[in-house]
Amino acid sequence: MIFWYVTAATQPKISSTRLALQIFDMSYGTQFAEQWPLVRVSLLSEQKYGALVNNFSAAQEVMAELEQQGAFDFVQEAFRRDCAAGAGSLQDGRFPSLSPNVKCYVFPKGDITRFRPARPDRSGFLGYYLLDAASVLPVLALDVQEGHTVLDLCAAPGGKTLALLQTQACWRLAANDASGSRTARLRGVLQSYIPRVHCSEDKVRITSFDGRKWGELERETFDRVLVDVPCTTDRHSLLEEDNNIFKKSRTKERQRLPQLQTELLLAGIRAARPGGEVLYSTCTLSPLQNECVVERAAQLSQEELGIRVRVVDLAPLAGLFRDVFHFAPGLRLGELVLPHLAANFGPIYLCKLQRVS
């Protein structure tokens, strides 16, 4: 008995990253079958980034410098390629036009060159923002049009908020995050990239409310709603001990994630105007946090709120970017960018809903 106590007490505790890998091996190994070994090694390898160009800086100079390094704008390249095809997904009306103002540079497949840190221009604004290039897809899918009111319900740390502002189409943008410290970080990001005249309170409203309550605060208000929910952040969970949701002390928080995500998506649906659109996104491979949340929220929206939503097909959008990202085949709902060694972006899940009533 004494021997057992000493042995148990002296055994090293399993790290959060190791626990995450064990859980992913069990769940994703079954989910992705023969694909999992490649996805697994990609998740454990260095992530690939994109450079979101800041239109409020010396953008032409920035783009020329990025192109000299061998990077290309994957958004505008897809648009040009689709136009050249003559009858692509943009021209035949199967998907709305891409914003001409969103410019995100990546290095070609297989090129592991790192972007240099962005430098301030003569006005003091940074030329580009480094992020997972796949995280631009939810903003493109949201299809913000001139004069739209937009809600970014879980906005921090700010990459997607910044991308929304790069469209230069938002009449008013509400950027919210439940965490006060993360909201402060969001403010810092916007101050480094956006001139004050374009980020005044009448144009960009930054708040720190519980996003689950937003539908009660502003119902049927927004043309577009982005719901980029907290999740298991799979890549971070495998590589970083700091702030890891697989820590033992955060077990209950992790288990409650699908419920939190469902409540946030329901709040986003309530905040959207009839005919408005809601984009749900995560950075996890988990179907319990992806398709299942969308299905549950759509069901509860109909049964408890009397609000009907329909899923918008994102396959045409994914088709535009298959040369850049590796998409998972056969999803019930939405699209999922899988990490791949040759194009090590993601995971990013996105699903678009339109509020019908």
Side-chain angles (χ1 to χ4, degrees):
M1 196 71 170
I2 295 176
F3 172 77
W4 176 89
Y5 173 80
V6 172
T7 303
T10 56
Q11 278 183 341
K13 293 182 179 179
I14 185 170
S15 66
S16 302
T17 53
R18 184 65 183 173
L19 177 60
L21 184 58
Q22 289 179 356
I23 292 174
F24 292 169
D25 279 337
M26 288 187 291
S27 57
Y28 298 157
T30 301
Q31 178 183 346
F32 294 105
E34 66 275 5
Q35 283 187 295
W36 173 236
L38 180 56
V39 174
R40 184 185 196 268
V41 72
S42 302
L43 280 169
L44 293 168
S45 301
E46 184 173 352
Q47 183 176 14
K48 197 167 182 178
Y49 284 87
L52 176 69
V53 174
N54 182 17
N55 292 313
F56 302 100
S57 69
Q60 293 301 319
E61 296 176 15
V62 169
M63 290 188 291
E65 181 180 336
L66 292 171
E67 288 168 9
Q68 286 176 358
Q69 297 175 36
F72 68 96
D73 179 357
F74 82 86
V75 181
Q76 300 309 316
E77 179 64 29
F79 180 78
R80 287 190 291 268
R81 189 170 60 248
D82 195 73
C83 289
S89 58
L90 300 181
Q91 283 70 42
D92 64 14
R94 285 186 291 133
F95 200 82
S97 60
L98 298 177
S99 170
N101 297 320
V102 176
K103 307 174 186 73
C104 188
Y105 280 74
V106 296
F107 289 104
K109 276 188 175 181
D111 187 336
I112 59 172
T113 303
R114 296 181 182 180
F115 287 102
R116 302 165 189 161
R119 300 190 306 271
D121 64 6
R122 291 179 294 276
S123 300
F125 296 109
L126 296 174
Y128 53 81
Y129 182 89
L130 295 180
L131 76 178
D132 184 330
S135 64
V136 175
L137 296 179
V139 174
L140 295 174
L142 199 55
D143 185 36
V144 177
Q145 299 293 312
E146 189 73 30
H148 274 169
T149 53
V150 182
L151 169 62
D152 188 351
L153 191 59
C154 310
K160 294 181 181 68
T161 307
L162 187 60
L164 286 167
L165 289 171
Q166 296 305 320
T167 68
Q168 300 179 53
C170 302
W171 178 50
R172 288 179 179 169
L173 172 65
N176 179 71
D177 198 276
S179 167
S181 60
R182 285 168 59 85
T183 303
R185 183 179 172 188
L186 169 64
R187 290 182 185 276
V189 167
L190 297 187
Q191 289 170 3
S192 298
Y193 288 88
I194 309 296
R196 190 171 299 176
V197 66
H198 295 288
C199 211
S200 56
E201 288 188 8
D202 63 319
K203 295 180 179 179
V204 180
R205 177 165 48 113
I206 301 175
T207 55
S208 185
F209 295 134
D210 182 345
R212 295 173 294 181
K213 307 295 184 182
W214 200 280
E216 301 171 10
L217 299 172
E218 292 183 304
R219 300 181 187 178
E220 302 185 357
T221 301
F222 297 93
D223 300 291
R224 298 288 187 268
V225 180
L226 177 60
V227 187
D228 183 41
V229 295
C231 65
T232 48
T233 54
D234 292 358
R235 193 183 288 270
H236 175 87
S237 294
L238 289 175
L239 299 177
E240 300 289 340
E241 286 295 321
D242 184 48
N243 199 32
N244 194 310
I245 199 165
F246 284 86
K247 287 181 178 178
K248 186 177 180 180
S249 60
R250 301 184 69 185
T251 300
K252 290 184 179 179
E253 178 187 353
R254 187 176 75 248
Q255 293 171 342
R256 287 195 297 263
L257 275 174
Q259 178 64 29
L260 170 64
Q261 293 157 345
T262 302
E263 292 174 1
L264 287 167
L265 181 51
L266 278 171
I269 291 170
R270 293 183 74 185
R273 291 174 175 167
E277 295 176 340
V278 180
L279 198 292
Y280 176 80
S281 65
T282 74
C283 51
T284 177
L285 300 168
S286 169
L288 292 177
Q289 300 176 65
N290 294 339
E291 302 101 298
C292 292
V293 167
V294 174
E295 289 172 332
R296 181 62 175 158
Q299 178 187 7
L300 291 175
S301 176
Q302 173 79 54
E303 294 177 354
E304 298 186 2
L305 304 177
I307 299 173
R308 190 161 57 90
V309 297
R310 72 173 186 91
V311 177
V312 179
D313 183 15
L314 294 180
L317 180 73
L320 287 174
F321 299 114
R322 290 198 184 279
D323 289 344
V324 180
F325 306 108
H326 185 67
F327 289 91
L331 260 67
R332 300 194 310 276
L333 298 170
E335 296 290 340
L336 174 64
V337 175
L338 292 177
H340 190 282
L341 285 177
N344 205 4
F345 304 107
I348 293 291
Y349 174 79
L350 58 157
C351 186
K352 187 174 183 178
L353 302 173
Q354 182 179 44
R355 178 168 170 169
V356 178
S357 62

mmCIF file of all heavy atoms in Angstrom, residues 13 19 51 55 74 81 117 124 135 142 188 197 203 217-218 236 244 247 261 323 340 343 345:
data_model
loop_
_atom_site.group_PDB
_atom_site.id
_atom_site.type_symbol
_atom_site.label_atom_id
_atom_site.label_comp_id
_atom_site.label_asym_id
_atom_site.label_seq_id
_atom_site.Cartn_x
_atom_site.Cartn_y
_atom_site.Cartn_z
ATOM 1 N N LYS A 13 3.213 13.738 -14.201
ATOM 2 C CA LYS A 13 1.880 14.047 -14.711
ATOM 3 C C LYS A 13 1.940 14.173 -16.227
ATOM 4 O O LYS A 13 2.894 14.690 -16.782
ATOM 5 C CB LYS A 13 1.367 15.354 -14.094
ATOM 6 C CG LYS A 13 1.099 15.281 -12.608
ATOM 7 C CD LYS A 13 0.557 16.599 -12.095
ATOM 8 C CE LYS A 13 0.263 16.521 -10.600
ATOM 9 N NZ LYS A 13 -0.244 17.823 -10.092
ATOM 10 N N LEU A 19 -1.938 14.891 -23.522
ATOM 11 C CA LEU A 19 -3.323 14.456 -23.341
ATOM 12 C C LEU A 19 -4.147 14.790 -24.573
ATOM 13 O O LEU A 19 -4.957 13.971 -25.039
ATOM 14 C CB LEU A 19 -3.924 15.119 -22.109
ATOM 15 C CG LEU A 19 -5.404 14.814 -21.832
ATOM 16 C CD1 LEU A 19 -5.625 13.321 -21.630
ATOM 17 C CD2 LEU A 19 -5.903 15.612 -20.633
ATOM 18 N N ALA A 51 -0.319 36.606 -45.239
ATOM 19 C CA ALA A 51 -0.134 38.022 -44.908
ATOM 20 C C ALA A 51 -1.341 38.797 -45.433
ATOM 21 O O ALA A 51 -1.482 38.992 -46.649
ATOM 22 C CB ALA A 51 1.154 38.546 -45.519
ATOM 23 N N ASN A 55 -5.055 47.676 -46.252
ATOM 24 C CA ASN A 55 -5.370 48.687 -47.260
ATOM 25 C C ASN A 55 -5.197 50.111 -46.756
ATOM 26 O O ASN A 55 -5.182 51.052 -47.564
ATOM 27 C CB ASN A 55 -6.809 48.501 -47.750
ATOM 28 C CG ASN A 55 -6.993 47.233 -48.546
ATOM 29 O OD1 ASN A 55 -6.203 46.932 -49.432
ATOM 30 N ND2 ASN A 55 -8.028 46.465 -48.223
ATOM 31 N N PHE A 74 -3.738 34.953 -52.860
ATOM 32 C CA PHE A 74 -4.558 33.800 -53.221
ATOM 33 C C PHE A 74 -6.014 34.176 -53.471
ATOM 34 O O PHE A 74 -6.709 33.492 -54.226
ATOM 35 C CB PHE A 74 -4.453 32.697 -52.154
ATOM 36 C CG PHE A 74 -5.324 32.883 -50.949
ATOM 37 C CD1 PHE A 74 -6.635 32.444 -50.928
ATOM 38 C CD2 PHE A 74 -4.806 33.466 -49.784
ATOM 39 C CE1 PHE A 74 -7.438 32.585 -49.808
ATOM 40 C CE2 PHE A 74 -5.594 33.615 -48.660
ATOM 41 C CZ PHE A 74 -6.918 33.175 -48.669
ATOM 42 N N ARG A 81 -8.611 33.566 -61.907
ATOM 43 C CA ARG A 81 -8.701 32.241 -62.518
ATOM 44 C C ARG A 81 -10.148 31.886 -62.838
ATOM 45 O O ARG A 81 -10.453 31.326 -63.891
ATOM 46 C CB ARG A 81 -8.089 31.202 -61.569
ATOM 47 C CG ARG A 81 -7.937 29.818 -62.171
ATOM 48 C CD ARG A 81 -7.115 28.919 -61.267
ATOM 49 N NE ARG A 81 -7.708 28.750 -59.958
ATOM 50 C CZ ARG A 81 -7.186 29.241 -58.833
ATOM 51 N NH1 ARG A 81 -6.051 29.932 -58.861
ATOM 52 N NH2 ARG A 81 -7.780 29.042 -57.675
ATOM 53 N N PRO A 117 8.415 39.941 -40.171
ATOM 54 C CA PRO A 117 7.470 40.747 -39.380
ATOM 55 C C PRO A 117 7.111 42.025 -40.136
ATOM 56 O O PRO A 117 7.947 42.629 -40.812
ATOM 57 C CB PRO A 117 8.258 41.062 -38.107
ATOM 58 C CG PRO A 117 9.285 39.978 -38.018
ATOM 59 C CD PRO A 117 9.658 39.645 -39.425
ATOM 60 N N GLY A 124 2.823 55.198 -39.787
ATOM 61 C CA GLY A 124 2.885 54.435 -38.550
ATOM 62 C C GLY A 124 2.021 53.194 -38.521
ATOM 63 O O GLY A 124 1.960 52.511 -37.493
ATOM 64 N N SER A 135 -8.164 31.343 -42.214
ATOM 65 C CA SER A 135 -9.098 32.094 -41.377
ATOM 66 C C SER A 135 -9.679 33.297 -42.111
ATOM 67 O O SER A 135 -10.595 33.952 -41.595
ATOM 68 C CB SER A 135 -8.421 32.534 -40.076
ATOM 69 O OG SER A 135 -7.371 33.438 -40.329
ATOM 70 N N LEU A 142 -18.758 35.295 -45.724
ATOM 71 C CA LEU A 142 -19.804 36.149 -45.154
ATOM 72 C C LEU A 142 -20.346 37.141 -46.186
ATOM 73 O O LEU A 142 -21.486 37.596 -46.077
ATOM 74 C CB LEU A 142 -19.259 36.884 -43.929
ATOM 75 C CG LEU A 142 -20.257 37.468 -42.951
ATOM 76 C CD1 LEU A 142 -21.237 36.417 -42.449
ATOM 77 C CD2 LEU A 142 -19.527 38.107 -41.772
ATOM 78 N N GLY A 188 -5.768 47.074 -29.459
ATOM 79 C CA GLY A 188 -4.375 47.306 -29.838
ATOM 80 C C GLY A 188 -4.109 46.954 -31.288
ATOM 81 O O GLY A 188 -3.382 47.665 -31.996
ATOM 82 N N VAL A 197 -9.966 57.759 -38.068
ATOM 83 C CA VAL A 197 -11.159 58.224 -38.772
ATOM 84 C C VAL A 197 -12.011 57.063 -39.274
ATOM 85 O O VAL A 197 -13.237 57.190 -39.410
ATOM 86 C CB VAL A 197 -10.763 59.147 -39.950
ATOM 87 C CG1 VAL A 197 -10.003 58.362 -41.029
ATOM 88 C CG2 VAL A 197 -11.982 59.843 -40.542
ATOM 89 N N LYS A 203 -18.515 54.069 -36.200
ATOM 90 C CA LYS A 203 -18.270 53.093 -37.259
ATOM 91 C C LYS A 203 -17.883 51.725 -36.705
ATOM 92 O O LYS A 203 -18.303 50.697 -37.234
ATOM 93 C CB LYS A 203 -17.182 53.606 -38.197
ATOM 94 C CG LYS A 203 -17.573 54.861 -38.956
ATOM 95 C CD LYS A 203 -16.453 55.326 -39.857
ATOM 96 C CE LYS A 203 -16.881 56.574 -40.627
ATOM 97 N NZ LYS A 203 -15.790 57.072 -41.512
ATOM 98 N N LEU A 217 -29.972 41.697 -26.551
ATOM 99 C CA LEU A 217 -29.611 43.116 -26.583
ATOM 100 C C LEU A 217 -30.017 43.769 -27.894
ATOM 101 O O LEU A 217 -30.564 44.876 -27.913
ATOM 102 C CB LEU A 217 -28.101 43.281 -26.368
ATOM 103 C CG LEU A 217 -27.525 42.767 -25.042
ATOM 104 C CD1 LEU A 217 -26.001 42.822 -25.066
ATOM 105 C CD2 LEU A 217 -28.057 43.618 -23.889
ATOM 106 N N GLU A 218 -29.721 43.104 -29.002
ATOM 107 C CA GLU A 218 -29.998 43.664 -30.327
ATOM 108 C C GLU A 218 -30.555 42.559 -31.234
ATOM 109 O O GLU A 218 -29.801 41.862 -31.901
ATOM 110 C CB GLU A 218 -28.732 44.267 -30.933
ATOM 111 C CG GLU A 218 -28.248 45.507 -30.205
ATOM 112 C CD GLU A 218 -27.030 46.121 -30.872
ATOM 113 O OE1 GLU A 218 -26.024 45.413 -31.048
ATOM 114 O OE2 GLU A 218 -27.092 47.319 -31.213
ATOM 115 N N HIS A 236 -3.086 24.652 -31.406
ATOM 116 C CA HIS A 236 -2.521 25.220 -30.176
ATOM 117 C C HIS A 236 -2.475 24.172 -29.066
ATOM 118 O O HIS A 236 -1.490 24.080 -28.326
ATOM 119 C CB HIS A 236 -3.362 26.420 -29.726
ATOM 120 C CG HIS A 236 -2.942 27.000 -28.411
ATOM 121 N ND1 HIS A 236 -1.964 27.961 -28.296
ATOM 122 C CD2 HIS A 236 -3.350 26.730 -27.136
ATOM 123 C CE1 HIS A 236 -1.788 28.267 -27.023
ATOM 124 N NE2 HIS A 236 -2.629 27.537 -26.291
ATOM 125 N N ASN A 244 -3.664 26.096 -22.250
ATOM 126 C CA ASN A 244 -4.138 24.909 -22.958
ATOM 127 C C ASN A 244 -5.447 24.415 -22.339
ATOM 128 O O ASN A 244 -5.523 24.179 -21.131
ATOM 129 C CB ASN A 244 -3.071 23.809 -22.899
ATOM 130 C CG ASN A 244 -3.327 22.691 -23.875
ATOM 131 O OD1 ASN A 244 -4.416 22.133 -23.945
ATOM 132 N ND2 ASN A 244 -2.302 22.335 -24.646
ATOM 133 N N LYS A 247 -5.728 21.246 -20.026
ATOM 134 C CA LYS A 247 -5.271 21.185 -18.641
ATOM 135 C C LYS A 247 -6.357 20.557 -17.777
ATOM 136 O O LYS A 247 -7.547 20.769 -18.007
ATOM 137 C CB LYS A 247 -4.955 22.590 -18.119
ATOM 138 C CG LYS A 247 -3.689 23.201 -18.687
ATOM 139 C CD LYS A 247 -3.439 24.577 -18.090
ATOM 140 C CE LYS A 247 -2.149 25.166 -18.621
ATOM 141 N NZ LYS A 247 -1.891 26.531 -18.086
ATOM 142 N N GLN A 261 -20.937 26.910 -27.567
ATOM 143 C CA GLN A 261 -20.933 27.221 -28.994
ATOM 144 C C GLN A 261 -22.355 27.303 -29.553
ATOM 145 O O GLN A 261 -22.669 28.192 -30.351
ATOM 146 C CB GLN A 261 -20.114 26.164 -29.739
ATOM 147 C CG GLN A 261 -18.631 26.198 -29.395
ATOM 148 C CD GLN A 261 -17.920 24.878 -29.667
ATOM 149 O OE1 GLN A 261 -18.563 23.837 -29.857
ATOM 150 N NE2 GLN A 261 -16.585 24.903 -29.670
ATOM 151 N N ASP A 323 -6.760 24.898 -54.896
ATOM 152 C CA ASP A 323 -5.339 24.906 -55.227
ATOM 153 C C ASP A 323 -4.488 25.441 -54.077
ATOM 154 O O ASP A 323 -3.266 25.327 -54.109
ATOM 155 C CB ASP A 323 -5.086 25.754 -56.482
ATOM 156 C CG ASP A 323 -5.615 25.093 -57.743
ATOM 157 O OD1 ASP A 323 -5.900 23.879 -57.700
ATOM 158 O OD2 ASP A 323 -5.748 25.787 -58.766
ATOM 159 N N HIS A 340 -2.270 20.115 -44.032
ATOM 160 C CA HIS A 340 -1.606 19.245 -45.001
ATOM 161 C C HIS A 340 -0.173 19.757 -45.131
ATOM 162 O O HIS A 340 0.047 20.963 -45.249
ATOM 163 C CB HIS A 340 -2.335 19.293 -46.345
ATOM 164 C CG HIS A 340 -1.886 18.275 -47.326
ATOM 165 N ND1 HIS A 340 -0.728 18.397 -48.053
ATOM 166 C CD2 HIS A 340 -2.437 17.096 -47.717
ATOM 167 C CE1 HIS A 340 -0.578 17.358 -48.851
ATOM 168 N NE2 HIS A 340 -1.610 16.542 -48.652
ATOM 169 N N ALA A 343 0.493 22.313 -47.642
ATOM 170 C CA ALA A 343 -0.280 23.543 -47.452
ATOM 171 C C ALA A 343 -0.787 23.529 -46.015
ATOM 172 O O ALA A 343 -1.958 23.269 -45.763
ATOM 173 C CB ALA A 343 -1.432 23.611 -48.443
ATOM 174 N N PHE A 345 -2.176 24.898 -43.518
ATOM 175 C CA PHE A 345 -3.115 25.846 -42.935
ATOM 176 C C PHE A 345 -4.194 25.057 -42.181
ATOM 177 O O PHE A 345 -4.369 23.863 -42.377
ATOM 178 C CB PHE A 345 -3.786 26.673 -44.033
ATOM 179 C CG PHE A 345 -2.846 27.411 -44.930
ATOM 180 C CD1 PHE A 345 -2.634 26.982 -46.231
ATOM 181 C CD2 PHE A 345 -2.174 28.527 -44.487
ATOM 182 C CE1 PHE A 345 -1.769 27.662 -47.082
ATOM 183 C CE2 PHE A 345 -1.302 29.216 -45.316
ATOM 184 C CZ PHE A 345 -1.102 28.783 -46.618
#
